[in-house]
Amino acid sequence: MSHGSSQRRRVAAAIVGTAVLAIGSAVSTATASATASPSASGSATAHVNRGHGSMPDVADAQAARAATRHGSKTLTYGGGIDGIGVMDGQPQVYLVFYGSQWGTQGTDAKGNLTFSNDADNGAPTAQMMFKGIGTGGEQWSGTMTQYCDGPLVAKGATSCPAGAAHVPYPTGGVLAGVWYDNSAASPQAASGHQLGVEALAAAHHFGNTTAASNRHSYYVILSPHGTNPDSYQGAYCAWHDYNGDSTLTGGAVASDVGDFAFSNQPYNMDSGAGCGVNFLNSGPNGTLDGWTMTLGHEYSETVTDQNPPGGWTNTSSGQENADECAWLKGVTGGAGNVPMGNGTYTEQGSWSNDTNACALTHATVS
């Protein structure tokens, strides 16, 4: 989900593919959590736009799927913004733990940063997941490789011509850096603009000070437990965008490093079942189901729609590839436990134009 037109943020709420009933009992348990803190209008679809393809909470996804179940899911190419459509080089993901509320920093046996105010161990799990993407022969990443950009791809195209630059398979993991910015407390409800400013600070921190160094970079801004970044609670679970989007809450972010992609990743275990706690797995094994699904959702949308909506979106609904398949389970292309080279992570499927269906795995396309 990315910031963008108000329709895009509805992308978050409208994410749903075709099988409302497939959400099953997880939706019924999520509804109470998702509606405990509703938007002023009672529906995420009426919110101020929050990020392109913002990932809706489970209840809003169910409602959106019911409303759009008969619509086409086909994605079309948006023509690029500032020459950028997809991440057509090896993705580089930077995790930014934003704010001193994360607590005291430590390091675990696998070299991951840990934090004293991270009772659910979201931080090391996020690091391991991005280290694992593109390892162990995982085919979850394959679905994204069918999408492309560049001068050979016509605006409005629904498939890629020969010779076009595709999203590559992310060989060997995508985690490029981790930063704990504890220079100040994170705002209680950071605006989209503030999150973008933090991403700009991260670009400088990591030495990515040119447009070229940010062409395939993605900054995940992870807010700490107890905060409500961009007023996500009861509305949605995360979003992604780029700095130039004028519809960011608080406005676009001026940049001296070129365009850059970033996301709003709340500590969405605070939202319980509404953001996927125990969505697929029971007990402690399912606490981070929604966390890894949301991280994967926004990553997969960033690599296929880096500067929204210049990449691949559904022009009738505004949805991106992961929006089309959010919070599905028990059906082909629904959520599943995806083995990677360093562990197994719960992920959702994403839309595959070439099979006209949601897919949790797909052969690599080049």
Side-chain angles (χ1 to χ4, degrees):
M1 312 158 172
S2 75
H3 258 274
S5 63
S6 52
Q7 185 177 19
R8 276 231 169 144
R9 288 220 175 172
R10 293 178 197 149
V11 162
I15 280 180
V16 188
T18 56
V20 178
L21 295 179
I23 296 179
S25 61
V27 168
S28 63
T29 58
T31 302
S33 174
T35 59
S37 179
S39 65
S41 65
S43 170
T45 60
H47 290 189
V48 173
N49 185 21
R50 289 192 177 85
H52 280 281
S54 56
M55 187 172 186
D57 60 26
V58 178
D60 281 327
Q62 179 190 33
R65 182 167 286 113
T68 61
R69 67 178 68 184
H70 300 300
S72 171
K73 306 288 185 256
T74 301
L75 305 180
T76 61
Y77 181 58
I81 292 177
D82 298 336
I84 298 171
V86 305
M87 200 168 279
D88 57 16
Q90 285 292 319
Q92 296 176 310
V93 177
Y94 297 89
L95 300 183
V96 181
F97 294 94
Y98 179 30
S100 57
Q101 301 99 311
W102 279 98
T104 303
Q105 176 184 311
T107 306
D108 69 14
K110 296 181 179 179
N112 302 303
L113 296 191
T114 61
F115 301 100
S116 60
N117 193 29
D118 178 22
D120 294 321
N121 293 314
T125 300
Q127 292 164 75
M128 291 297 290
M129 190 193 91
F130 285 111
K131 289 176 182 178
I133 289 174
T135 69
E138 59 90 0
Q139 292 187 303
W140 176 77
S141 295
T143 309
M144 284 73 85
T145 64
Q146 69 187 270
Y147 299 107
C148 60
D149 69 359
L152 297 178
V153 191
K155 184 176 183 178
T158 58
S159 62
C160 293
H166 284 249
V167 174
Y169 184 84
T171 305
V174 297
L175 185 64
V178 182
W179 178 34
Y180 179 25
D181 182 6
N182 62 350
S183 58
S186 175
Q188 177 57 31
S191 68
H193 179 88
Q194 288 174 307
L195 294 165
V197 169
E198 178 68 4
L200 177 60
H204 282 278
H205 174 82
F206 290 113
N208 294 334
T209 57
T210 65
S213 61
N214 282 299
R215 176 60 179 89
H216 303 117
S217 296
Y218 168 45
Y219 303 95
V220 182
I221 309 303
L222 301 106
S223 294
H225 165 61
T227 59
N228 190 22
D230 210 19
S231 302
Y232 87 96
Q233 283 280 2
Y236 62 96
C237 298
W239 53 250
H240 79 97
D241 211 339
Y242 84 110
N243 65 288
D245 182 4
S246 62
T247 70
L248 282 164
T249 52
V253 178
S255 173
D256 60 352
V257 301
D259 289 355
F260 58 87
F262 70 102
S263 65
N264 171 21
Q265 181 62 47
Y267 196 82
N268 52 30
M269 286 72 78
D270 289 347
S271 287
C275 283
V277 171
N278 294 128
F279 182 76
L280 191 65
N281 300 291
S282 61
N285 290 336
T287 299
L288 296 178
D289 282 0
W291 177 249
T292 54
M293 288 171 68
T294 302
L295 288 163
H297 176 118
E298 303 304 338
Y299 164 81
S300 71
E301 290 185 340
T302 298
V303 299
T304 58
D305 189 22
Q306 186 173 346
N307 278 14
W312 292 78
T313 66
N314 183 323
T315 55
S316 63
S317 68
Q319 295 183 22
E320 295 169 303
N321 64 313
D323 296 333
E324 303 273 34
C325 307
W327 304 125
L328 286 172
K329 71 174 182 178
V331 296
T332 301
N337 294 318
V338 176
M340 299 182 185
N342 64 357
T344 297
Y345 306 91
T346 306
E347 304 289 356
Q348 66 157 91
S350 59
W351 184 259
S352 170
N353 265 11
D354 64 7
T355 58
N356 195 40
C358 292
L360 188 64
T361 62
H362 192 288
T364 299
V365 179
S366 59

